[in-house]
Amino acid sequence: MSTIRVDSDRCQGHAMCVTQAPSLVDVDDLGFAVIIGDGTLSTPEHHEQAERAVACCPEQALHVEDES
Amino acid sequence: MTDTPFDHLEIALQADASDRLSAEREKCPVQHSSAHDGFWAFLGYEHVGDAARDPETYSSASGVTIPAHAFPMALPPIEADPPLHMQVRGPLLPRLAPGVMNDLEDDLRAMVTGLIDEFIESGSADLAADLSIPFPGMSIGKLMNVPDDDVAMLRHMTAHLMQNSTDTDMIMQAMGFFQKLYEDRLANPAEDLPTAILELEIDGEQIGNEQFLAIMAMVMMAGLDTTANAAGTMFELIGANPEVRQALIDDPAKIPQAVEEFLRYATPLHASGRTTTSDVEVEGCPVGAGDKVLLNWLAANHDPAEFEEPDTLNIERFPNRHFAFGTGPHRCLGIHLARMQLKLLAEEVLARLPDYQVDEASVERYVGVTRGLSSLPVTFTAGTTAS
Ligand code: HEM
């Protein structure tokens, strides 16, 4: 199973990821990215959203962790 | 042949600024200029991004404009380093978060509607002076949670200041307005931005009257020219690209993504300055401690190392990791407000004057800290007012 993670030291709250992966990432009250639930990518749609969210972050604060 | 030194201000005034910056970047992505008392220009995406994310080496505390601005004091949060920086920025974040801006959407849209009503029946307008310039001042008034009369006053005051930035009478008037706001919120704290600024603590102590005025002025100024010029350049780009215009008319849901591309392409806040705290070597260049460094966001936003066909306006561009709002800890605090304003402006203009034509011969450009348009005359099929 793969999971999407946010590195909160890097996130500056551009909120680009939220537009690409609305079912995986949300913003908190300060505007920083938070992962919805445990971030597990359980559908092909999740994988696609996660890939786009990782790609669009200007701070490179998101990544996908692969576990077999 | 005389060698004229690299000058970002002279370049930013040109319609082909990004081409000229790309030519400079190809010559040398990090170069020294003797203009404005000397500075290093960073022109590549990677160097600009790395420096912006390293505030320990690239300090903002000695100012972020090259040449220096005329204010007698540093203006936090933009001109502050850690740890002071986050003491000011942190408490303001929730007041400028996406959710707060969504709550303002209807009020902000009504302002745009009202401004368009003022010219829609005539079939001609200046999309800079009549719309892009007044709207940011009004929006900031909303953000400051002031009564409608004050919003109307701010509309005129800020528009005047944007065109006459050294008019000391008007600056005094603005400061008088902030002073009243200070005294009012001291007596009646509210859930709003002025109260959040008032309650800021620096090193455990609540800020005083003077610091309130400085921060208030900083936040307001940061939101005026930037947004006005982002809007003006957006309307110019839409006017010059018929297929982009048609795509957005056919599917307004594409507007937010297109706004990011307009911002990348035009980059109204074209460059910000830093001062190094230690000797560093960048691209083989010896940047000495205390040297001025210019982070050229516009040049970075047209770097082919990051953007495919950087000089093509592509509203479907993905990914679009542009630096129009900066990057790193000083990332624009008004990003969500600015995006909301630009989205509303594009939606309303394309719905109500979709066939506007720019009178290109009469477009007027200007450059200060930001680059954009002071005049964008257009004609269109006259419509009717909304109210
Ligand atoms: C399209 C419009 C805008 C653009 C292009 C823009 C651009 C930028 C950029 C590039 C920076 C980073 C400067 C640096 O790193 O030195 C910045 C910072 C800032 N902006 Fe904006 N801005 C816009 C609108 C706004 C608005 C509407 C506001 C106010 C509500 C605002 C408030 C600020 C503040 C307070 C900072 C300093 C943040 C910090 O240092 O922590 N901006 N902006």
Side-chain angles (χ1 to χ4, degrees):
Chain A
M1 241 355 155
S2 312
T3 46
I4 182 164
R5 301 258 178 252
V6 59
D7 178 348
S8 34
D9 288 342
R10 292 191 77 104
C11 174
Q12 299 292 352
H14 294 255
M16 298 301 288
C17 52
V18 185
T19 63
Q20 301 301 327
S23 44
L24 298 172
V25 200
D26 199 355
V27 285
D28 65 14
D29 292 345
L30 298 182
F32 293 114
V34 284
I35 303 298
I36 299 170
D38 63 6
T40 303
L41 308 180
S42 42
T43 64
E45 196 209 338
H46 277 175
H47 278 274
E48 199 199 317
Q49 281 195 11
E51 202 176 298
R52 292 178 69 84
V54 170
C56 75
C57 177
E59 309 289 347
Q60 296 163 34
L62 291 156
H63 63 277
V64 170
E65 264 170 29
D66 289 310
E67 278 166 46
S68 42
Chain B
M1 207 177 99
T2 52
D3 222 9
T4 43
F6 174 90
D7 183 350
H8 53 294
L9 297 182
E10 184 263 319
I11 292 178
L13 192 56
Q14 315 299 324
D16 66 347
S18 57
D19 295 344
R20 293 190 39 191
L21 288 168
S22 289
E24 292 291 340
R25 188 193 327 96
E26 276 160 36
K27 261 196 276 170
C28 196
V30 171
Q31 50 177 277
H32 192 266
S33 168
S34 59
H36 309 295
D37 296 329
F39 64 93
W40 294 94
F42 285 19
L43 303 173
Y45 185 88
E46 197 186 333
H47 298 308
V48 169
D50 287 351
R53 294 188 204 104
D54 179 4
E56 276 78 30
T57 311
Y58 297 91
S59 162
S60 294
S62 317
V64 293
T65 52
I66 297 178
H69 62 62
F71 279 79
M73 61 242 197
L75 302 171
I78 203 163
E79 294 180 336
D81 291 335
L84 168 64
H85 174 244
M86 251 337 240
Q87 295 183 18
V88 176
R89 179 182 170 98
L92 305 187
L93 279 168
R95 303 253 59 100
L96 289 151
V100 177
M101 296 309 129
N102 290 339
D103 293 343
L104 288 183
E105 176 163 4
D106 292 347
D107 286 343
L108 295 181
R109 190 186 296 277
M111 287 178 182
V112 178
T113 305
L115 286 166
I116 295 177
D117 277 354
E118 290 175 17
F119 59 68
I120 188 74
E121 290 173 325
S122 73
S124 71
D126 183 331
L127 287 186
D130 301 336
L131 186 61
S132 303
I133 292 174
F135 180 48
M138 297 165 75
S139 307
I140 298 269
K142 252 299 150 224
L143 188 68
M144 291 183 194
N145 190 23
V146 301
D148 286 348
D149 284 352
D150 287 343
V151 170
M153 185 274 298
L154 280 170
R155 165 185 175 177
H156 295 290
M157 180 155 75
T158 54
H160 180 83
L161 276 175
M162 273 188 254
Q163 266 138 25
N164 309 276
S165 59
T166 53
D167 181 338
T168 37
D169 283 353
M170 205 51 123
I171 293 172
M172 290 313 291
Q173 221 174 305
M175 286 302 164
F177 174 73
F178 291 153
Q179 182 61 24
K180 263 190 16 215
L181 204 56
Y182 177 73
E183 286 159 17
D184 179 74
R185 293 303 194 277
L186 211 50
N188 316 294
E191 282 287 311
D192 58 16
L193 185 69
T195 307
I197 295 178
L198 181 84
E199 291 175 349
L200 285 174
E201 287 184 8
I202 294 178
D203 300 335
E205 252 184 73
Q206 192 172 345
I207 64 163
N209 195 341
E210 235 171 77
Q211 280 163 310
F212 174 89
L213 297 180
I215 296 169
M216 202 72 204
M218 195 268 120
V219 173
M220 184 179 96
M221 284 188 307
L224 296 178
D225 282 40
T226 47
T227 317
N229 288 331
T233 48
M234 170 174 81
F235 290 133
E236 186 186 31
L237 286 169
I238 293 174
N241 291 277
E243 54 318 324
V244 166
R245 182 201 306 248
Q246 198 54 49
L248 299 181
I249 292 172
D250 293 344
D251 185 3
K254 289 189 169 153
I255 287 175
Q257 192 180 351
V259 161
E260 300 300 324
E261 177 68 351
F262 299 138
L263 283 164
R264 179 194 72 84
Y265 197 88
T267 315
L269 181 42
H270 53 103
S272 299
R274 298 289 189 266
T275 307
T276 46
T277 57
S278 57
D279 293 344
V280 277
E281 197 181 295
V282 190
E283 282 282 316
C285 296
V287 181
D291 283 0
K292 292 282 174 200
V293 172
L294 184 84
L295 309 181
N296 200 301
W297 311 118
L298 174 61
N301 281 345
H302 284 261
D303 186 348
E306 170 66 17
F307 301 99
E308 233 171 83
E309 297 191 31
D311 302 319
T312 304
L313 181 78
N314 172 9
I315 60 167
E316 310 271 351
R317 184 178 293 280
F318 185 87
N320 188 356
R321 304 185 299 174
H322 67 76
F323 293 157
F325 290 114
T327 182
H330 290 280
R331 182 276 291 166
C332 177
L333 258 182
I335 191 170
H336 307 299
L337 175 61
R339 284 181 183 149
M340 173 67 75
Q341 294 177 95
L342 294 168
K343 176 189 91 121
L344 293 171
L345 285 166
E347 283 177 3
E348 292 300 317
V349 164
L350 290 174
R352 297 183 67 195
L353 42 148
D355 66 349
Y356 76 84
Q357 295 298 320
V358 176
D359 172 7
E360 275 159 35
S362 310
V363 171
E364 280 169 30
R365 278 170 216 290
Y366 82 99
V367 165
V369 174
T370 64
R371 65 190 289 260
L373 308 168
S374 50
S375 186
L376 184 67
V378 300
T379 51
F380 52 88
T381 307
T384 51
T385 58
S387 45

